[in-house]
Amino acid sequence: MGPLFLFIFAAVASFIGSLQAGLVNTAVLAHTVQRGPAAGRRMAIGGSIPEVLYASVAYLFANALLEKLGIGQDRIGMAVGIVLVGMGVYFTFVFKPKFDPERMEVKATGVRRGLVLGLANPQLVLFWCGVVLALHAYGIKGQGVFGMIAFGLGAFTGAILLLFQLVKLGQRAVERLRPARLRLLFR
């Protein structure tokens, strides 16, 4: 499978993986409602840039790890299971987040703020490693540098498409809802 397939696969995975109301999604929607669609689009661009970074790093890391360990299709399921159980134990017993998005001191606006918020989500590396492992489980191996670029750009494309849809949603909400309803929506 070529880089075009990796691009499309990563774009679809990114779009679907970004559907939950995470920090960047909520910030883009709030920024759109407060400052307008142009500001929301700028924040969406900044929030999508980390997808390229994290997806590319995960692509290189997962492919290199699978190659060095010599893990074949038959053992990827077991490797993923071990990683997921380990992550569950870590998040249950060790990880104690002290992150409050309402108090987050980010003085930047627009693209930079979106970038900072997107970079504050290192779980993206784990998500993208899982996507690469899923590709390997179906027999789709790494495609080198071109594959990494296609994978990273696909991740960016999927994320930005979803975030631009949130900008449209925010713009429609401002046009159609009263301020009291908007506050209720965000609560």
Side-chain angles (χ1 to χ4, degrees):
M1 296 288 165
L4 180 62
F5 174 79
L6 288 174
F7 175 84
I8 293 169
F9 189 85
V12 170
S14 180
F15 189 89
I16 292 170
S18 299
L19 284 173
Q20 77 264 2
L23 185 61
V24 175
N25 296 3
T26 306
V28 166
L29 193 56
H31 210 66
T32 301
V33 168
Q34 293 170 350
R35 297 193 174 122
R41 280 190 289 278
R42 285 191 301 273
M43 183 175 271
I45 291 168
S48 298
I49 291 172
E51 293 280 346
V52 175
L53 174 69
Y54 287 139
S56 299
V57 166
Y59 184 84
L60 287 176
F61 174 75
N63 280 315
L65 185 67
L66 289 172
E67 186 178 312
K68 286 200 186 276
L69 295 178
I71 297 175
Q73 281 180 261
D74 56 334
R75 298 221 176 144
I76 290 177
M78 187 171 74
V80 170
I82 290 170
V83 169
L84 290 176
V85 168
M87 284 174 44
V89 169
Y90 171 76
F91 283 121
T92 301
F93 298 110
V94 179
F95 185 66
K96 304 292 183 221
K98 294 179 180 166
F99 183 71
D100 185 6
E102 296 296 322
R103 292 184 174 178
M104 189 168 162
E105 297 284 331
V106 178
K107 297 192 182 197
T109 60
V111 175
R112 286 182 294 165
R113 186 173 192 172
L115 181 64
V116 168
L117 292 174
L119 288 171
N121 188 8
Q123 292 174 346
L124 287 173
V125 172
L126 296 173
F127 171 78
W128 287 113
C129 280
V131 172
V132 173
L133 290 173
L135 285 170
H136 276 267
Y138 289 107
I140 301 166
K141 304 289 186 208
Q143 301 289 320
V145 175
F146 290 118
M148 178 198 69
I149 292 168
F151 195 73
L153 290 177
F156 173 81
T157 302
I160 200 140
L161 287 174
L162 177 75
L163 292 175
F164 280 176
Q165 292 303 312
L166 287 175
V167 170
K168 283 184 181 179
L169 177 69
Q171 185 177 6
R172 286 186 185 147
V174 168
E175 292 169 357
R176 295 182 180 161
L177 298 176
R178 288 177 275 151
R181 294 259 182 183
L182 281 174
R183 281 191 297 277
L184 183 62
L185 173 72
F186 278 99
R187 286 189 184 142

